[in-house]
Amino acid sequence: MKYRAWPKAELHCHLDGALRPATAEELAREQGIDLPRPLRLVAPADCPSQAAYIAYFDHAIAVLQTAAALERASFELGVDSAAENIDYLEVRWAPRLHLGRGLTVPEVIAAVLAGLAAAPLRAVAIVCAMRQHSPEENVTLAREAGRFAGHGVVGFDLAGDEVRYPAAPQRPAFEAARAAGLRLTCHAGEAGQPSSVEEALGLGVERIAHGVIGARDPRIVERVRSEGVVLDLCPTA
């Protein structure tokens, strides 16, 4: 099939999961970052757990700690997406993971939006909160992201290890994001029990990232259907 030639919309793209390996290596050298080489950027197909899989984002995050690096990575992602005939792109990432070299959350968001704005396609951003961060930290994040509503940021998400960190305590952050004018989605149903998908539904989301484990419980399947919640599902090769 001529899949690359089809016009497409990409609704689930992680900035730190789509960094060009050559760019990551160059940024690590420029910034003098002491990491094992080659950088660990691609998880194996047989990753033993969601937590192990998430660890493969660490090296990309480590080199994306400056405004210039974030802007470059966002721009290159837009260029690469356009080359695959994607004309609408939603990019998500967790700004609070990019504060290691002194950036503020608004500076991180602004850098990513600048890179996306320069790319040759329509690209918008979804700000991710992390499950391991406190509800208070994520409420603040939601309010800061909301200042960019209508200016490139369209949504608010929750990601991270769902086995260790339930979603329900983060409800205040989702309420703050909704009040700020952002649409709501949540990573759930990648690990653990079907109840994690129901927790995400309790946050008032319109979309769930993945959600596949919820299929084990017919009651949750019916709730997803009846509430009109959309699942982001990745096709197999």
Side-chain angles (χ1 to χ4, degrees):
M1 293 188 296
K2 298 180 179 179
Y3 177 74
R4 289 177 66 91
W6 298 349
K8 295 177 285 293
E10 170 60 84
L11 304 182
H12 193 121
C13 183
H14 287 265
L15 176 63
D16 41 3
L19 181 62
R20 292 176 182 174
T23 295
E25 295 284 354
E26 183 179 329
L27 290 172
R29 288 194 304 271
E30 288 177 352
Q31 298 174 32
I33 298 175
D34 184 16
L35 290 171
R37 299 297 202 278
L39 296 177
R40 212 170 66 141
L41 300 171
V42 181
D46 60 349
C47 236
S49 67
Q50 183 199 31
Y53 178 83
I54 291 171
Y56 281 83
F57 287 86
D58 289 350
H59 285 183
I61 292 169
V63 303
L64 296 176
Q65 296 293 324
T66 69
L70 287 161
E71 184 171 345
R72 175 180 175 180
S74 304
F75 172 72
E76 290 180 350
L77 173 54
V79 169
D80 293 344
S81 298
E84 295 185 8
N85 211 23
I86 292 168
D87 54 22
Y88 175 75
L89 174 68
E90 292 182 357
V91 178
R92 63 185 76 199
W93 88 112
R96 285 186 51 80
L97 299 181
H98 299 268
L99 309 181
R101 293 201 171 193
L103 291 177
T104 65
V105 165
E107 288 170 339
V108 171
I109 295 174
V112 170
L113 293 180
L116 296 179
L121 78 174
R122 184 185 175 203
V124 296
I126 297 173
V127 165
C128 288
M130 297 302 296
R131 288 171 177 263
Q132 69 267 28
H133 294 160
S134 71
E136 294 77 16
E137 289 170 322
N138 286 333
V139 166
T140 298
L141 173 66
R143 290 171 177 163
E144 291 174 322
R147 297 190 180 101
F148 293 86
H151 301 282
V153 175
V154 298
F156 187 77
D157 187 14
L158 182 68
D161 185 347
E162 63 182 291
V163 173
R164 294 178 61 197
Y165 301 101
Q170 303 293 346
R171 185 177 181 87
F174 278 76
E175 292 172 346
R178 183 187 295 108
L182 299 177
R183 312 301 287 267
L184 305 181
T185 182
C186 180
H187 279 73
E190 296 177 88
Q193 301 300 317
S195 57
S196 67
V197 176
E198 192 159 39
E199 270 198 336
L201 293 171
L203 300 174
V205 299
E206 300 166 79
R207 284 180 12 202
I208 290 178
H210 310 300
V212 291
I213 289 176
R216 298 174 185 171
D217 186 331
R219 182 181 56 82
I220 294 175
V221 172
E222 174 56 25
R223 185 173 172 189
V224 168
R225 187 202 64 78
S226 65
E227 295 181 15
V229 173
V230 177
L231 305 183
D232 300 347
L233 298 176
C234 299
T236 56

